[in-house]
Amino acid sequence: MNFDDTPQEAAFRAEARAWIQANAPKQYEEELRKSSLGRTVLKGANILEVAKAWQKKKADAGWACLHWPKEYGGRGASPIERVIWQQEEGPFGKLSGMFIIGHGMCGPTMMAFAGEEQKRKCLPPLASGEKIWCQLFSEPAGGSDVAGLRTRAERRGDEWIINGQKIWTSGAHYSDYGILLTRTDPTVPKHKGLTMFFLDMKSPGVEVRPIKQASGQSDFNEVYFTDVVIPDSQRLGAVNDGWNVSLTTLMNERMSIGAGVATGFPELFEFCNNLMLGDGPAIEDRSVRSKLANYAVKASGLRYTSMRAISALSKGERPGPENSIGKLVAGSMVQEVAMYALDLQGAAGVLSGPDDAEVAGKFQAMLLRAPGTRVEGGTDEIMRNIIAERVLGLPGDIRVDKDVPFNQIPTKGR
Amino acid sequence: MNFDDTPQEAAFRAEARAWIQANAPKQYEEELRKSSLGRTVLKGANILEVAKAWQKKKADAGWACLHWPKEYGGRGASPIERVIWQQEEGPFGKLSGMFIIGHGMCGPTMMAFAGEEQKRKCLPPLASGEKIWCQLFSEPAGGSDVAGLRTRAERRGDEWIINGQKIWTSGAHYSDYGILLTRTDPTVPKHKGLTMFFLDMKSPGVEVRPIKQASGQSDFNEVYFTDVVIPDSQRLGAVNDGWNVSLTTLMNERMSIGAGVATGFPELFEFCNNLMLGDGPAIEDRSVRSKLANYAVKASGLRYTSMRAISALSKGERPGPENSIGKLVAGSMVQEVAMYALDLQGAAGVLSGPDDAEVAGKFQAMLLRAPGTRVEGGTDEIMRNIIAERVLGLPGDIRVDKDVPFNQIPTKGR
Amino acid sequence: MNFDFSDEQKQMRDEARKFLTEQCPPKAVREVLDGKAPYDKALWKGLAEMGFLGVAIPEEFGGAGAGHLELCVIAEEMGRANAPVPFSSTVYLAAEALLLAGSEAQKQKWLRKIASGEAIGTLALFEGKGNPSPKAIKLQASGGTLTGVKKPVPDGAIADFAVVAARTGSTGRDSDISLFLVDLKTGGVEAKSLTNVDPTRGQAELTFNNAKAEPLGAAGDGWSILTQVLDRAAVLLAFEQVGGSDRALEMGRDYALDRIAFGRPIGSFQAVKHMLADMYVSATLARSNCYYGAWALSTNAAELPEAAAAARISATQAFQHCSKNNIQVHGGMGFTWEFDCHMYYRRANATALTLGSLSYWEDQLIDRMRKKNAA
Amino acid sequence: MNFDFSDEQKQMRDEARKFLTEQCPPKAVREVLDGKAPYDKALWKGLAEMGFLGVAIPEEFGGAGAGHLELCVIAEEMGRANAPVPFSSTVYLAAEALLLAGSEAQKQKWLRKIASGEAIGTLALFEGKGNPSPKAIKLQASGGTLTGVKKPVPDGAIADFAVVAARTGSTGRDSDISLFLVDLKTGGVEAKSLTNVDPTRGQAELTFNNAKAEPLGAAGDGWSILTQVLDRAAVLLAFEQVGGSDRALEMGRDYALDRIAFGRPIGSFQAVKHMLADMYVSATLARSNCYYGAWALSTNAAELPEAAAAARISATQAFQHCSKNNIQVHGGMGFTWEFDCHMYYRRANATALTLGSLSYWEDQLIDRMRKKNAA
């Protein structure tokens, strides 16, 4: 049990720190530090360009995708080294947002299922940020039931013709490539008729439309496929074995350990530390303190849980579904934190404009974004199922569609 | 919308008050007032005798089972009059605890399914407290799945022979009669092979054993049946129609409206009003106030919900499953309240002896009793199912045992 | 004893629901949400014509003279429809202040205009962050004019007049505060619209610069009147919140019945069923607390302060709970702009702060219960 | 960086678990629960023989000299087994106080006896209701004797010696408090057992009547030493709580797999599955907070005060949550005396109060975070 660096770790940290100090885009540091919970905006700069430039710089110096093999653009670093890097990269890490899906999910899937030539061709520009990738699994009819997807892939010689619609695709509008899960046989039970591909997002017939979210922003897209052609060489895994391929992708999602999920606690604590209530400093109000303490131990519990996962990874253990707790706990906590921060502002908590709201509307934005955090990447309910079934070994839900051909499953409840 | 009495109601209240003033066993008033949440103990007196004497006195003067027809020992009073009576009876109402099952569940079931002669014979002594009744539904293997019961009734001419075991029977040890749900056909699906009876609890072959609860007390019993003989004339409803009969019983349980369920809030509020913390009165601590306010609105919400149900009943509407919310909300609230009251006492909160604990160990007893309140009469989970299915119209759980003969349903999970 | 609305009141509810279903569909709410209009003028006119704006205003002042129970019933429907009109500020705040403290002339002028839909009113109380408190009121009254800044003022940018809380003394006592009535169209007041989490209900900053004002109620009575106005508005707003809670619950229930996942309606999964059951529970507790509040309001009972706080807390919790879990039941679709879920979530969280925050009312409730207990 | 116990420490855990599974089955706990013995003497002897009592006591004082990480591992297993022995009072409180402030002679005498199982120790801090506070300490020291009443004192009726917090000044400052060591077998102290919610762990009232006492640590240092003792004990007790949480979770999980209702294991119902998932979540958060606390404890890091409070809060919540919902998963059977569920529920609620209540530690945590923030 040691929360301090070993000498080797300290040396790695010093090297990383020095390089970052010398190379990071310092002009954006303050703005990046202030931005929170996925709302990263840089005034007067195109964040996509800034992010790509930083990623390329890192790649050129061997600091991109630290855990990937060197031949695919990585560094072959240890999990602890990744953590140290993230700690040192600090606010500049927020520039990696648009690469997370590609580096965390698409890359590992390609590594596991693409041919060697394709890997050597595709992975280095993915690592360096020159090419951005997205993941095309979710569909309107699917939701939590990912395998219920309907996008068809029909074989025509050495090609596949894709028709259908995906939804909730992060970054589809700026992505160069995507991995795509399709239905290739609707006459067998749903998990058995899926096939995975990767494709050029600039292919004819691909149309990306932004989704306006409840928060007013558009972080996601719908992607429509009309007679899109994909060569069979871009198939990942066997025909009709797409479900297993997708499990690799999703497992890797869990392995994309990080500085931990956003809980909103540091922001709330800082806010309360500076806030004056009618009777005195908020931080001296016992009801505020009680609430803060409860959030504090959740936030620290998540932080150390993620550190324990890193230790397990370092020992060669595969991080298990227990990592689902981060998203589960943080999702609803962010929502509660936001509501409470508004409450503490009294009637003025309703104001969300940067000039009129406390801390520039940060908590108001958090409130409006929060419902999405309880859904994206698996709802709270799916997360609890995962923990119950895969960690605790409890039975799966009764599956009425298990042995039913996909095209005979009902689509309307009433 | 009127929370005040009409003139007729005021007259009824005055009459009830005067009679109670003249007749109630005043010597126990103080002890009854202090006792809470089902722990009614009278020093130096047998509470069963005191309760029976008070019930008999009420019956003789026409104040027993107010809503029952006069010919069966009641008064034919309106629901509002019942409420007024309960308000006026105040602490003396705590003496009715041992009659609740008989008056609320057994009596109405008898009224609906027994022959006229039996009704005239059985109901008046039930109303007057001379005979106490219990309800024999639950079984060890049954639990929330009441219809999963295994106690067998086998026909032999004009008689039925009962073998099996019941559990969680309140008051079996002092009961004279009971209503009993049995399995008469194990070869059909579980709901279709049940039959209801009533029986003399002094019948040969009936053995009552108290259950020691987690709290250390014994409010419930196990009841064993060994070749117990019940005449067919004591059958309630048709053979194999017992499930429907039991639904009447359970529906009436919901109609046994009362002064509302115990939430622990009044006790907690009084406690906090008198408690000094290190820094001053507990009631001035903002964290205490915030917790109290949250409990307060639950307690008042339940109180007025039960009043709304009374109004519905007055208008001839049948109170629906929405009344399940009382038990659901109060059950876990009592537990939280007890934990919080201990917390406020600091390290000494652990002490439970009457001389060493604040307010004579009341909250410590509440803490230990509370887990039972979340289970008895239907678990929290069953209550949520009832609300979801019967109030909101959501689908029932998937029933794997629905069309399976009872004797083919598995009994062990692994 | 009767813990229910009368048949006539229920009939009025049905009428209001029918009217709002037709005149205030989600599409109409979206016009305001999207900033195409500051409020729904046609709906406002319709509400006046239906007599809903003046339902609790006596006939002598141009209202229907029906009473506050009837107003509660209308309020619930306004909340259910998420109506994008200045109903709460005009009817619960401005009109109630006039009814409690207005002179005959003031009532004749303004209540009549409210009932007819000619005037939008509001209460200008807050000055930046914080909860209701005499100490927080800095806006100064002197020589029949007001100077200072109020923010946020609900519907302040579209209001024709405002009841304004101002400082007229410096003793440190409640009697330092007096109320004034300001015609916002006569100059001296500058209104600026402010962005807020619920664009269907405007918020504004009002800057008073020697603005002409006439006293409302006796000098020094301001805080006492305000307390009563806030209590009365708390009950009425709680009915809006209960209406919103019920609608959010219904939306969730309907979606759970329609939507299929894993080959079954999602409403057949206990996680979803029980979430909806818990929403029903909180909505029901809130409704029951509101009924008691309605009785206390309509009879001006001594229990009103306590009943109002309980209704406010319970209804705030219920609406926040139901609106956020309605989104959760809807999954990703619930988080789209296209679905209506977020409109209720926005309204729930905005309404939770009007009149002061949840934690303020928690504190108030215990204060009031304690006083009653001590009495 | 390594956020896990070492293989050797894990091996010690396995050893402790094996020992306790054999020597401390629920049947043994019930002997004490049912009042047949004040504690499990055979188990206590066994723990001494295994070297567990002195695991963190240096070899020079008769211990194993292994360290506090090893003690955390043992603590977790003690909690998991619900062991009915005075481990926490003797090892986390008395021994830690001696280690921090004892003279060489005191350590030689008492630590050696603790390690060998010859002496049971405790900390006599509280005087009636309330949380740790110098103000609350009235017991008076004068001329080498103590007079006053301590209550509740954990394991006070079976203890051989006690570390006692006494008042030696009246300046109103923390330095009014000094610690003393009292041999309870030498007269002058009367012990009375007190009924408490967890009969497997005794509580007593100790009346000091001019009882002979020797100073422990410097005069006036009492409060400062106590604070450190409580922080250290908070981490250790938190490991007991985590062990108990895990066991309660396992019991619930096992029952959910075995028990059939409606023709299926109850663990196939989402209501039960998700309840257990939530128990796992709180137990995991607590465990992670405890690991950080263990590191801070074992290295005496500056982060200890904050880490200890976080571990304490998180573990208290987890054990209360898991033990109460374990009963709920068991349904009616969980509420019988016969099933073991209630033993964990009792322990969870008793442990929540030792060292001061949850709300006290919440307050402490924020105080400490605030200080760190200001620094």
Side-chain angles (χ1 to χ4, degrees), chain B residues 6-269:
Chain B
T6 62
Q8 297 92 313
E9 288 163 2
F12 179 87
R13 189 186 293 280
E15 190 188 347
R17 184 177 296 178
W19 188 85
I20 290 166
Q21 179 66 22
N23 293 282
K26 290 275 169 56
Q27 64 272 38
Y28 305 115
E29 186 167 6
E30 193 51 30
E31 269 178 294
L32 288 168
R33 197 177 297 281
K34 278 192 202 149
S35 75
S36 75
L37 298 176
R39 299 301 314 152
T40 309
V41 183
L42 302 179
K43 276 178 199 158
N46 179 330
I47 187 162
L48 187 61
E49 283 169 19
V50 174
K52 282 193 160 196
W54 174 231
Q55 188 67 23
K56 183 72 170 69
K57 214 172 192 180
K58 290 196 285 183
D60 290 346
W63 293 109
C65 289
L66 276 84
H67 57 308
W68 285 16
K70 285 189 185 157
E71 61 268 36
Y72 301 139
R75 187 189 183 91
S78 76
I80 299 278
E81 286 171 342
R82 272 179 83 192
V83 173
I84 292 172
W85 169 266
Q86 284 171 350
Q87 290 171 345
E88 294 301 322
E89 193 180 13
F92 302 109
K94 292 182 184 171
L95 290 171
S96 305
M98 56 198 62
F99 307 120
I100 285 177
I101 302 268
H103 293 166
M105 302 177 75
C106 305
T109 307
M110 290 291 288
M111 269 182 240
F113 293 99
E116 190 57 32
E117 191 186 336
Q118 282 167 328
K119 287 197 264 191
R120 296 209 177 252
K121 184 181 139 211
C122 295
L123 291 173
L126 167 51
S128 67
E130 286 159 283
K131 298 294 178 195
I132 297 183
W133 286 56
C134 64
Q135 184 246 65
L136 301 143
F137 288 9
S138 290
E139 295 194 10
S144 292
D145 182 11
V146 178
L149 59 87
R150 313 189 149 263
T151 293
R152 291 291 306 272
E154 287 165 304
R155 189 157 200 157
R156 199 178 58 191
D158 260 6
E159 295 175 339
W160 294 82
I161 312 300
I162 315 294
N163 280 286
Q165 180 198 352
K166 294 289 175 179
I167 197 171
W168 303 118
T169 316
S170 304
H173 53 300
Y174 53 66
S175 285
D176 303 289
Y177 291 92
I179 59 173
L180 173 71
L181 191 57
T182 64
R183 182 160 308 279
T184 36
D185 188 351
T187 67
V188 295
K190 67 182 183 182
H191 290 96
K192 297 182 178 162
L194 305 176
T195 303
M196 184 81 83
F197 299 93
F198 73 92
L199 88 162
D200 185 337
M201 289 295 284
K202 307 290 180 289
S203 305
V206 176
E207 189 198 346
V208 177
R209 294 185 204 160
I211 299 170
K212 188 170 179 187
Q213 292 149 216
S215 59
Q217 272 103 29
S218 293
D219 300 328
F220 304 101
N221 301 278
E222 291 177 299
V223 183
Y224 291 83
F225 297 89
T226 312
D227 293 331
V228 174
V229 177
I230 302 183
D232 188 56
S233 60
Q234 290 180 204
R235 177 162 45 77
L236 295 172
V239 173
N240 290 337
D241 198 33
W243 184 246
N244 283 323
V245 178
S246 77
L247 291 181
T248 301
T249 314
L250 297 170
M251 195 190 69
N252 273 286
E253 183 178 24
R254 288 201 302 269
M255 293 177 65
S256 51
I257 46 174
V261 286
T263 60
F265 176 71
E267 292 87 350
L268 182 68
F269 185 71

Side-chain angles (χ1 to χ4, degrees), chain A residues 86-132:
Chain A
Q86 284 172 351
Q87 289 171 347
E88 294 302 322
E89 192 178 15
F92 302 110
K94 293 181 184 172
L95 289 171
S96 305
M98 56 198 62
F99 307 119
I100 285 178
I101 303 266
H103 292 167
M105 303 177 75
C106 305
T109 308
M110 290 291 287
M111 269 183 241
F113 293 98
E116 190 56 34
E117 191 186 337
Q118 281 168 330
K119 287 198 265 189
R120 298 214 174 245
K121 183 180 139 208
C122 295
L123 292 173
L126 167 51
S128 67
E130 286 159 285
K131 298 294 178 192
I132 296 183

Side-chain angles (χ1 to χ4, degrees), chain A residues 139-146 167-168 190 211-216 220 275-276 278-279 291 335-336 339-340 342-353 355-356 358 364 367-372 374-375 379-382 397-401 409-414, chain C residues 34 126 128-131 135 151-152 192-198 203-205 253-255 257-265 269 271-272 275 320-321 324-325 327-328 331-338 342 345-346 349-360 362-363:
Chain A
E139 295 194 9
S144 293
D145 183 10
V146 178
I167 197 171
W168 302 120
K190 66 181 183 182
I211 299 170
K212 188 172 179 185
Q213 291 150 216
S215 59
F220 305 101
L275 181 71
M276 289 298 292
D279 309 334
K291 285 224 168 64
Q335 193 163 32
E336 284 176 37
M339 284 186 183
Y340 190 55
L342 265 61
D343 181 283
L344 287 170
Q345 298 170 46
V350 74
L351 302 180
S352 55
D355 298 332
D356 301 299
E358 279 283 335
Q364 287 76 14
L367 174 80
L368 296 177
R369 184 60 182 78
R374 290 176 60 197
V375 169
T379 63
D380 290 356
E381 293 67 38
I382 292 292
D397 293 335
I398 290 178
R399 291 287 298 275
V400 297
D401 60 353
I409 296 172
T411 56
K412 259 302 196 184
R414 54 172 193 183
Chain C
D34 291 336
F126 299 103
K129 71 176 193 300
N131 284 305
K135 274 194 291 181
K151 155 180 152 178
K192 189 179 101 184
S193 279
L194 303 175
T195 314
N196 89 84
V197 298
D198 177 18
Q203 297 287 348
E205 176 180 282
R253 194 260 324 262
D254 288 348
Y255 192 76
L257 285 169
D258 287 336
R259 170 81 178 181
I260 292 278
F262 305 100
R264 348 175 344 194
F269 288 98
V272 175
M275 197 187 318
Q320 287 187 319
H321 175 203
K324 86 178 182 189
N325 279 350
I327 298 182
Q328 185 68 11
M333 300 317 293
F335 190 56
T336 59
W337 188 265
E338 186 189 342
H342 69 104
Y345 180 68
R346 289 169 178 277
N349 285 293
T351 313
L353 300 164
T354 328
L355 313 182
S357 68
L358 189 58
S359 46
Y360 166 78
E362 287 172 355
D363 215 54

